Amino acid sequence: NPNVESDRPNILIILDNTANWNTPFTSEIAALQAVFGSVVDDRYNVGLMLFTETGAGNSSNPCASAFPGVGNAGGDGGYVRTHIRQMTSTNRTKITCTINNLNKNNDKSNGGKAGLTFSEAHRYLTGGQSVSGGPPVSSYSNHKAKSDPEAFVSGSARYKSLPNGCARTFIIYISNGPVQDNTADTNTAAAALTAAGGSTAAITLSPNGSQSGVADEWARFLYANRQIISYTIDVLPITNGQGPGWTAMLRSIATQGRGRYFAATSTTTL
């Protein structure tokens, strides 16, 4: 029932905005436009998370008030570009505007951090304290210029609690290629997982090129702890180098998160 807040499923789209998105960018944006134009309606609550950026990026925001000139500070991971909202006609227009105005250069991440981003997604979806994606207010040490201020409790860097009812919560991770967290990132994400009460027992990947990452261990915890289901979309999967190992990671995220893995092998299948 779209009129009952706790009955609407919450969907968080995590969009890979690293340099990997250069090739599929136009087709990917068109696919998202189509989804919000004809598939998503007021039966769903939907939001958008991106990998963190460096610098100030765009100085203007055609979808709302201007981005504050505070730049970006604090650690890497994810930030909430648009808060999860019911997809009424008005809110669907807002998120579509954001998608329409994404720029593959100005909105490009300084480097994807999958483990850290799933860690931040957990904080966001459970009403926790932000770490990588703070409010767009310079007084916070983790401020991000393009974070949606409506994602936070007023006067705080803590995320708002989402409706806690019978409906499920989903993560849809749209990946544009290998995201290899460095050792420090992985250690930080693993420590956060332990602190949250999760297990860091390694999930075996084959091939094992992305074995060291903990995004799939986070997906396992998200489902076990909060029944948050994770789906992955492997856009133009790479079949050599780091590609097969990364595909194994995406498959593992979906398996551990009780979702599904999808491969978009061409821009037309997006």
Side-chain angles (χ1 to χ4, degrees), residues 38-54:
S38 61
V39 179
V40 173
D41 57 27
D42 63 0
R43 294 172 296 170
Y44 304 94
N45 302 327
V46 185
L48 178 67
M49 176 175 276
L50 302 180
F51 293 137
T52 52
E53 307 164 26
T54 56

Side-chain angles (χ1 to χ4, degrees), residues 155-166:
S156 167
R158 177 172 290 277
Y159 292 117
K160 291 178 179 176
S161 295
L162 297 177
N164 184 19
C166 300

Side-chain angles (χ1 to χ4, degrees), residues 78-162:
Y79 76 97
V80 179
R81 184 62 175 260
T82 61
H83 181 47
I84 290 177
R85 300 176 175 89
Q86 183 184 15
M87 288 293 96
T88 61
S89 177
T90 298
N91 289 335
R92 201 161 62 245
T93 297
K94 288 180 180 179
I95 195 168
T96 301
C97 180
T98 296
I99 290 166
N100 289 349
N101 285 279
L102 287 173
N103 183 287
K104 67 181 179 181
N105 294 314
N106 292 338
D107 294 304
K108 183 170 63 179
S109 170
N110 55 299
K113 316 284 185 177
L116 290 177
T117 299
F118 267 76
S119 174
E120 192 72 9
H122 170 259
R123 297 183 188 100
Y124 173 53
L125 295 172
T126 59
Q129 188 76 13
S130 65
V131 172
S132 63
V137 180
S138 60
S139 58
Y140 296 107
S141 61
N142 63 340
H143 61 260
K144 296 295 187 287
K146 300 174 189 175
S147 284
D148 187 341
E150 291 188 32
F152 304 92
V153 175
S154 179
S156 167
R158 177 172 290 277
Y159 292 117
K160 291 178 179 176
S161 295
L162 297 177

